[in-house]
Amino acid sequence: MTIPAPTGVHPAWLPPEAFQPIGSRRALVSGEGLLVDTVHDEVARACARYGGGVRRAAPGGARGLPARGDHAGGPFDLVLALRAAGPLPAVAEQVDARFRGRRGRADDAIGDEGFVIARRDGVTVVLADEPAGLLYGLFHVVRLGEPAFGAARPVEHHRPAMRRRMLDHWDNVDVHPKSGQVERGYAGGSIFWRDGAPRGDLPRVRSYGRLLAACGVNAVAVNNVNVHVTEAHLLTDRLGDVAAIAAELRPYGIRTHLAVDFAAPIVLGGSPTGDPCDARVRKWWAEATERVYETIPDFGGYVVKADSEGRPGPFAYGRSHADGANVLAEALAPFGGVVHWRAFVYDHRQDWRDRSTDRARAAHDHFAPLEGLFRDNVILQVKHGPIDFQAREPVSPVIAAMPSTRLAVELQVTQEYTGQQRHVCYLAPMWSEVLGFRPFGPAGPAVARIVAGAAPGGERGTRGGRAPDEGGGLVGVSNVGDDAYWTGHPLAQANLYAFGRLAWAPWTDPAAILDEWIDLTFAPVAHGDREPLRRALHAIMDDSWRTYERYTAPLGVGFMVRPEHHYGPDVDGYEYTSWGTYHFADRDGVGVDRTRATGTGFAGQYPPHWSAVYESLDRCPNELLLFFHHVPYEHVLHSGSTVIQHIYDTHFAGVEQVAEARSLWEGLAGSVPAALHARVRELFDEQLRCAKEWRDQVNAYFFRKSGVPDARGRRIP
């Protein structure tokens, strides 16, 4: 296999220099399989560059070398081996024995994607049960860098918390007249498609798969959930285009998924109906799916957006979403495939005067009554918040409402509402809060455990008759395009990296993830003391999500953006539209009453602990106050500030923090590549301009509504 090296593309967190610690040493790779071939080829390329050497062990031992003993063609500095690959060097057998003998283990399985790593007697050993685990083990050694070959390291067992760690691409095959080549894409065109045809840059697709494997992602959906006419044909007569992408992702353990049109039997098959309970429709899906697996045997499954924002769905036939999802699941089941059924269903033709209809309620209202009705291979894909990827939302109550349904939490890596990759906004702290949230209260399981397959009571165990670890996992809307830096803003790469790392290990500190990304990405230019660079990037990025929140929408109110493209401020842009995203600001106050007592009742969709917290004006967290309550401008927050003064203070502070970050970046000139520095500097100029626009528009709007001046006497336009 040729390791991808597309020209003119930034290497992101896999620059050649990151492989120097491996490439300058002697390595043994033992095992068979496509992904073991990938491991060997990665090590071999690094060794060719940095003067080391690698041997490949055949089933009977190292090729042309003794089968047993400390040497087996060695000595080696690094052993990467499948445990079942045959006799291993003695040091690897000792590591294996130590792992198997650890107290308290119910079994000695490493896991399908897991690996064991240790260092003893001057040898770093990575062992796995399956090739995927060996691949992830290799990239773990890359992350560790030189310390992987330093002091002795005890046996560590690593395995992903979630089996499914997936990215959804909102890429169109045809350029759509409204949404373009990539819907909500802020990094150029698609890496898969261009002007109605495959893009044809297969080395870049493989390079993308390599980046994803290195951070832990194992699945990709290659087209937009809004499936237009051309994209619908990827399921049938254009399936070969999907197979070509799958072939490039396969060597890095990435399974390919496809977004499909619920009305495909009509659009593609000439059926008079798409009714999921019609035998002809079930037969069409079964036959179409069989052809998919004949072409792509490791195909992952379907992604479906139905009865949402004009997309066809089962409601047209008087059927439920369980009926709709189950017909596709039935077709996929014989092949081990899954259907990701999005829960993003709401009334987008709402009357703004009707305060009883609440978009936040919609997913729970539609799906909670269907608990227990979905097939085991249906994964209900739920946005992390009840609205739409705002800078601040509560966690969706659906996550707590369906304990026997496999749930995936959907995050938006592309920054639709958080600066569109023109603003620095490191999202891992937000995601970490979501994954650590405990919907049932302090004694219950966190979101991360629920979507990984934990039982509602907090123990890892059977859910709805399924084995442990069969949750839906984590899904992110990809932020990648054909930009030379992959993500448009070079620092937005950190969000893609962090998504994969949190999907693998959701309890990891976002600051530690940022350290990994910095050390890998800037390895070519920071061989000496990396601390100044690291400190500056942490100062710029650690709090950047909260900085963005400060200069945009206050206290959880959200959605004060320009309609359609969602970039920049327009406080009333959606206030009188049909989309159901209101703040209800008037002369007396601001916020949405979602209490049970006097509002929409949304607070009552949560389990008792959080329902009581959100219902209470005194207990509701400040950052979500206006999401759950309509309050006067002079309502006093827990901080002692009034709502109106908080709005003024945070918007002024947010602009100041952007200016400080911009200054810190200026100080890194000469410490990072000149072209990268210039790109980020230009983007900081735009971020500062836009932050000032947000500050001035929001402060002026609420000053005019409230009539309350800024207590600090600052100028408000």
Side-chain angles (χ1 to χ4, degrees), residues 259-576:
V260 297
D261 185 351
F262 181 80
I266 300 171
V267 174
L268 302 174
S271 171
T273 179
D275 184 350
C277 295
D278 188 293
R280 293 168 296 179
V281 171
R282 293 198 302 273
K283 182 174 184 290
W284 188 90
W285 278 111
E287 291 175 349
T289 302
E290 184 176 9
R291 289 191 294 270
V292 170
Y293 280 92
E294 287 172 354
T295 306
I296 311 171
D298 60 348
F299 182 72
Y302 300 138
V303 180
V304 183
K305 177 180 178 180
D307 290 316
S308 175
E309 300 180 331
R311 303 303 306 161
F315 285 172
Y317 307 97
R319 309 300 186 185
S320 74
H321 278 262
D323 295 326
N326 287 344
V327 70
L328 275 72
E330 179 183 291
L332 289 159
F335 309 99
V338 297
V339 55
H340 283 77
W341 191 271
R342 296 180 85 234
F344 187 52
V345 178
Y346 68 97
D347 178 8
H348 70 287
R349 296 182 176 88
Q350 192 172 321
D351 185 340
W352 63 270
R353 290 166 287 243
D354 174 14
R355 296 204 180 192
S356 65
T357 303
D358 184 1
R359 175 169 168 176
R361 290 186 56 108
H364 190 282
D365 285 345
H366 284 301
F367 288 95
L370 303 179
E371 161 66 352
L373 300 182
F374 291 96
R375 289 182 62 116
D376 280 355
N377 61 326
V378 174
I379 295 174
L380 191 63
Q381 189 165 309
V382 183
K383 290 191 178 188
H384 79 266
I387 298 289
D388 192 11
F389 300 131
Q390 299 303 291
R392 178 75 69 171
E393 296 185 46
V395 169
S396 170
V398 177
I399 296 168
M402 307 185 73
S404 62
T405 300
R406 296 174 71 178
L407 298 175
V409 166
E410 182 178 292
L411 307 174
Q412 194 183 53
V413 188
T414 191
Q415 298 169 224
E416 180 181 356
Y417 297 101
T418 52
Q420 299 191 355
Q421 288 158 224
R422 284 177 267 187
H423 297 213
V424 177
C425 189
Y426 180 48
L427 294 170
M430 177 209 284
W431 299 337
S432 186
E433 284 190 12
V434 170
L435 293 169
F437 180 76
R438 298 179 181 270
F440 297 97
V447 168
R449 291 180 71 97
I450 293 171
V451 299
E459 299 298 325
R460 298 184 72 80
T462 303
R463 299 175 68 247
R466 290 186 297 275
D469 300 318
E470 289 194 1
L474 210 60
V475 178
V477 181
S478 174
N479 65 343
V480 162
D482 66 359
D483 178 80
Y485 291 100
W486 295 96
T487 56
H489 199 308
L491 302 188
Q493 291 178 7
N495 286 330
L496 181 59
Y497 181 83
F499 169 81
R501 296 292 290 126
L502 285 172
W504 179 285
W507 313 118
T508 308
D509 181 355
I513 293 173
L514 190 58
D515 272 334
E516 291 178 2
W517 177 77
I518 292 168
D519 286 350
L520 290 168
T521 303
F522 295 99
V525 294
H527 284 305
D529 183 8
R530 298 182 186 177
E531 279 309 308
L533 175 64
R534 194 182 285 121
R535 283 196 301 270
L537 287 172
H538 275 287
I540 290 167
M541 299 178 71
D542 278 347
D543 202 41
S544 56
W545 158 52
R546 293 179 182 87
T547 294
Y548 183 87
E549 181 183 21
R550 288 180 190 110
Y551 65 76
T552 54
L555 302 171
V557 71
F559 241 104
M560 298 192 301
V561 293
R562 292 193 180 107
E564 298 295 337
H565 60 72
H566 298 165
Y567 185 75
D570 188 342
V571 181
D572 277 342
Y574 278 102
E575 191 62 14
Y576 306 102

Side-chain angles (χ1 to χ4, degrees), residues 536 540 659-672 677-678 680-682 684-685:
I540 290 167
E660 290 168 6
R662 181 178 177 275
S663 178
L664 284 169
W665 183 259
E666 287 283 359
L668 291 176
S671 298
V672 298
H677 188 271
V680 175
R681 184 181 63 237
E682 178 183 340
F684 259 127
D685 289 344

Side-chain angles (χ1 to χ4, degrees), residues 21 25 117 119 124 140-153 519 530:
R25 288 177 165 88
I117 184 170
R119 182 165 176 82
T124 300
H140 184 71
V141 176
V142 174
R143 276 195 299 275
L144 291 174
E146 197 61 40
F149 302 96
R153 179 180 295 270
D519 286 350
R530 298 182 186 177

